[in-house]
Amino acid sequence: MYKLIDGKKISQEIKDELKVKVSDLKAQGKNICLAVIQVGNDPASSVYVGNKKKACAYIGIESLAYELPEETSQEELLALVKKLNEDDKVNGILVQLQLPKHIDEEMVIQTIAPEKDVDGFNEKNVGALCVGSKGYVSCTPLGIIQLLKRSGVEIEGKNCVVIGRSNIVGKPMSLLLLRENGTVTICHSRTQNIKEITKQADILVVAVGKPKFVDESFVKEGAVVIDVGIHRNENNKLCGDVDFDRVAPHTSAITPVPGGVGPMTIAMLMSNCVSSVE
């Protein structure tokens, strides 16, 4: 029988721990402030931003919300980011992606000061992860490491396979597993004989962006499977990159969608905000 890795429960534990830390920091006269910028009113982005504000309120972090119209120019957005970079009261800056097409996303990310880049997307923070020095780490991969550790999954010495090579999940995920002494393979759209590789995995992380892409033919008996994807199926129900019903019986542990990786992303964003002060 497989174990269901409960991201809601684990993320709540982390938020409760952070709440105590924030209270202690406030007692020392240290406040934490996160600035959240949203351009346009994409419904999914609005839900994410709302969840981030709720998490801030629960933990005791002040949040500044900048809700900008869709037609905001790149120059106006960059000017706001630079102003927040220089504001000593602001510890973290988060620009909600995706941005409208007329704005260069990469330029905006690289304009955020590395020490305030709590999303961990700035080149300096990514470089720090590569060489093993201190910096912010992308929240989703960081959350997955916490899911594994707090569920008693040993990473050291294990065969770890990551499907997906995005800058936000796939690449940092592989580096974090390496940091935990896993043996790491990255698969992607050009990988040949992908199932032969994934069937070697003790830990399989799926971040491919295709609904129910992974079925039981990808998975070794008793593997731990982490599903990063989130989609709506033909019945408008949420599903992941993994065909849960077919894969779960073959695993020792698996994350559900929803309620697996998703809640951890916001918990780790809060963790990054707290470490900005610590």
Side-chain angles (χ1 to χ4, degrees):
M1 183 61 190
Y2 63 86
K3 173 183 179 177
L4 199 64
I5 298 175
D6 188 343
K8 277 187 182 169
K9 179 171 165 285
I10 294 170
S11 70
Q12 190 59 50
E13 286 168 11
I14 291 169
K15 285 191 278 193
D16 288 340
E17 290 163 16
L18 292 170
K19 194 174 184 176
V20 173
K21 279 188 183 178
V22 170
S23 175
D24 291 346
L25 287 164
K26 282 185 174 172
Q28 299 165 35
K30 294 176 182 173
N31 286 314
I32 305 174
C33 177
L34 172 68
V36 181
I37 304 170
Q38 182 183 357
V39 184
N41 54 3
D42 172 71
S45 291
S46 297
V47 169
Y48 284 130
V49 168
N51 288 341
K52 286 163 187 172
K53 287 182 195 164
K54 276 187 211 153
C56 282
Y58 181 78
I59 289 163
I61 294 172
E62 184 189 347
S63 65
L64 300 176
Y66 295 87
E67 285 153 12
L68 309 178
E70 184 87 20
E71 61 274 11
T72 300
S73 72
Q74 181 165 304
E75 289 68 31
E76 288 169 313
L77 178 56
L78 291 174
L80 174 59
V81 170
K82 286 171 185 169
K83 183 178 143 213
L84 294 169
N85 281 345
E86 288 159 19
D87 187 340
D88 291 339
K89 285 199 224 89
V90 173
N91 304 88
I93 302 169
L94 184 147
V95 178
Q96 182 64 40
L97 305 177
Q98 315 239 323
L99 291 169
K101 289 195 166 52
H102 65 276
I103 295 175
D104 182 342
E105 221 165 73
E106 193 56 31
M107 185 179 279
V108 174
I109 289 167
Q110 301 313 331
T111 302
I112 299 170
E115 65 277 10
K116 296 190 179 188
D117 166 42
V118 285
D119 256 336
F121 296 163
N122 185 285
E123 286 170 354
K124 286 196 176 168
N125 285 320
V126 176
L129 175 61
C130 283
V131 297
S133 57
K134 270 195 165 184
Y136 293 114
V137 177
S138 187
C139 301
T140 301
L142 200 56
I144 290 167
I145 294 294
Q146 284 296 316
L147 279 180
L148 293 169
K149 286 185 168 180
R150 289 173 185 246
S151 301
V153 176
E154 184 73 38
I155 302 170
E156 184 165 336
K158 295 291 172 67
N159 274 338
C160 306
V161 176
V162 179
I163 310 181
R165 53 176 168 181
S166 72
N167 292 335
I168 290 172
V169 180
K171 287 177 191 168
M173 187 74 250
S174 55
L175 288 164
L176 284 175
L177 288 165
L178 199 57
R179 191 163 85 178
E180 298 294 333
N181 299 315
T183 300
V184 183
T185 306
I186 304 173
C187 295
H188 46 78
S189 58
R190 305 294 166 87
T191 302
Q192 295 181 0
N193 307 322
I194 188 167
K195 291 181 185 181
E196 288 175 24
I197 298 167
T198 59
K199 279 186 93 85
Q200 304 292 316
D202 303 308
I203 299 170
L204 179 62
V205 180
V206 188
V208 75
K210 292 180 181 174
K212 298 189 178 182
F213 176 78
V214 167
D215 61 22
E216 69 277 21
S217 65
F218 284 76
V219 179
K220 177 168 99 171
E221 286 294 325
V224 175
V225 176
I226 305 289
D227 188 352
V228 183
I230 188 155
H231 316 275
R232 288 203 177 270
N233 67 12
E234 58 281 0
N235 305 319
N236 206 34
K237 281 186 72 177
L238 288 172
C239 67
D241 289 351
V242 174
D243 190 332
F244 184 89
D245 293 336
R246 289 173 65 178
V247 170
H250 300 276
T251 68
S252 58
I254 187 169
T255 58
V257 175
V261 172
M264 295 300 292
T265 301
I266 290 177
M268 300 325 292
L269 172 67
M270 298 298 112
S271 178
N272 278 350
C273 288
V274 173
S275 63
S276 71
V277 176
E278 289 183 320

